[in-house]
Amino acid sequence: MKSTAKHDERMAKMTFAEVYPHYVTKVEKKDRTKKELHQVITWLTGFNEKALQKHIRDKTTFEEFFQQATLNPNAHLITGMICGYRIEEIEKPLTQQVRYLDKLVDELAKGRKMEKILRTE
């Protein structure tokens, strides 16, 4: 499925704060922890705990969130399908970055080992 300009715009304007509680619920429902979720987010973005809380408090859009992030050099290793999109085929960098995060959260919730999620193996 090819993303549309409308889809890309929606992703850019969505705030991290509105999606974050869904990430927490998703992983905790599968017996993973908020600490593990933060580890995954930190790996992808470079944000520490204080920075994550600031993004939540400030209702940062995903566009601003990823502009300020230092994307992990191994992020390109995140591949596969998420929400009907093949991640490696997404053309708009911001939409791809949001889907990277979605994919990592999904892998965490599915019980994948942390070293595999963080692409260290």
Side-chain angles (χ1 to χ4, degrees):
M1 185 185 322
K2 189 169 167 65
S3 69
T4 63
K6 186 176 180 179
H7 175 262
D8 292 337
E9 179 70 15
R10 188 174 63 84
M11 298 299 274
K13 300 303 177 212
M14 197 178 315
T15 68
F16 178 70
E18 66 185 302
V19 177
Y20 175 77
H22 299 290
Y23 291 155
V24 173
T25 300
K26 184 173 189 166
V27 301
E28 288 182 342
K29 228 189 308 190
K30 300 292 186 168
D31 295 324
R32 299 305 286 258
T33 66
K34 191 187 285 190
K35 182 178 177 182
E36 289 173 308
L37 173 63
H38 288 196
Q39 184 180 355
V40 165
I41 296 170
T42 297
W43 177 87
L44 179 64
T45 65
F47 295 134
N48 62 21
E49 184 69 29
K50 186 177 177 183
L52 281 179
Q53 294 308 317
K54 182 172 178 4
H55 285 295
I56 293 166
R57 187 177 58 251
D58 293 350
K59 295 181 175 34
T60 305
T61 64
F62 271 120
E63 185 171 31
E64 297 162 336
F65 184 79
F66 281 105
Q67 281 174 350
Q68 296 171 29
T70 304
L71 212 61
N72 189 292
N74 287 334
H76 70 281
L77 298 175
I78 304 167
T79 59
M81 296 290 288
I82 190 77
C83 302
Y85 295 93
R86 179 152 294 285
I87 294 172
E88 56 272 27
E89 294 175 2
I90 297 172
E91 293 173 5
K92 183 147 176 121
L94 174 62
T95 302
Q96 187 177 54
Q97 292 163 357
V98 173
R99 294 305 184 188
Y100 282 160
L101 182 54
D102 290 343
K103 182 70 172 177
L104 294 178
V105 171
D106 197 48
E107 290 176 354
L108 183 63
K110 287 182 176 174
R112 195 165 194 210
K113 290 182 180 178
M114 192 59 79
E115 53 272 3
K116 294 231 184 241
I117 297 170
L118 303 182
R119 299 342 193 229
T120 56
E121 285 192 343

